[in-house]
């Protein structure tokens, strides 16, 4: 995902090197087109009745954008152990520290998890609390 995000920065001012990199990405995607995600229906984490557990993992890499020092961040959401959502993007701000970068992605992860919680709550019994994992000691509270 990161190569696509990186190349997207040059959509309006691309050169030959960018075009060749895009071709390499397309070639890679053609070789992995038969791979897929499998939804197991929560067999690894059985819960009684119609209960559902949400787990969110978030992470960012601080100031890794070589051209603008912005951080890349992303999260994944699991429902009963099965991956149901994910995203990765460049943060809109330049954080002053790795803790600030983690707070930004943690906020996005919380909003995504809460939105899914309320959506699924219309159909299923979603267990509280939503568990969110992160890897920065400074951002833990």
């Amino acid at each position: 995902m990161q190569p696509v995000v990186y190349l997207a920065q040059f959509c309006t001012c691309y050169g030959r090197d960018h075009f060749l990199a895009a071709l390499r990405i397309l070639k890679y995607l053609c070789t992995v087109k038969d791979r897929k995600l499998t939804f197991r229906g929560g067999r690894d984490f059985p819960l009684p009745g119609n209960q559902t557990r949400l787990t969110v993992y978030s992470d960012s890499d601080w100031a890794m954008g070589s051209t603008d020092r912005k951080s890349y961040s992303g999260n994944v959401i699991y429902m009963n152990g099965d991956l149901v959502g994910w995203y990765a993007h460049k943060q809109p701000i330049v954080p002053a520290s790795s803790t600030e970068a983690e707070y930004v992605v943690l906020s996005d992860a919380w909003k995504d998890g809460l939105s899914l919680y309320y959506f699924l709550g219309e159909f299923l019994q979603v267990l509280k609390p939503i568990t969110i994992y992160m890897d920065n000691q400074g951002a833990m509270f």
Side-chain angles (χ1 to χ4, degrees):
M1 184 69 183
Q2 188 171 355
V4 174
V5 173
Y6 179 76
L7 278 179
Q9 299 176 71
F10 303 101
C11 283
T12 59
C13 59
Y14 59 89
R16 179 172 165 70
D17 291 339
H18 303 109
F19 182 74
L20 293 174
L23 286 177
R24 280 193 304 270
I25 291 171
L26 289 173
K27 185 177 180 181
Y28 168 76
L29 291 174
C30 287
T31 62
V32 297
K33 67 181 178 182
D34 294 329
R35 295 186 184 177
K36 55 188 163 255
L37 297 175
T38 303
F39 189 72
R40 296 183 307 265
R43 287 180 290 161
D44 294 343
F45 300 93
L47 294 170
N50 202 20
Q51 294 179 341
T52 301
R53 181 183 321 272
L54 293 178
T55 307
V56 181
Y57 294 86
S58 70
D59 194 20
S60 72
D61 60 349
W62 178 49
M64 292 304 288
S66 59
T67 57
D68 56 9
R69 304 299 293 160
K70 290 185 178 178
S71 300
Y72 289 96
S73 60
N75 72 34
V76 293
I77 302 174
Y78 288 89
M79 183 174 76
N80 291 346
D82 290 318
L83 182 66
V84 294
W86 69 91
Y87 82 89
H89 71 280
K90 186 188 288 191
Q91 292 183 356
I93 63 168
V94 179
S97 67
S98 63
T99 300
E100 185 180 354
E102 290 288 343
Y103 272 131
V104 171
V105 71
L106 188 59
S107 172
D108 290 340
W110 172 247
K111 287 186 272 187
D112 289 346
L114 198 58
S115 296
L116 188 58
Y117 170 81
Y118 284 119
F119 174 73
L120 292 174
E122 296 291 324
F123 312 101
L124 304 167
Q125 180 184 0
V126 183
L127 298 176
K128 291 183 182 176
I130 300 170
T131 307
I132 300 179
Y133 293 101
M134 51 185 270
D135 64 350
N136 186 299
Q137 290 293 328
M140 291 185 187
F141 47 87

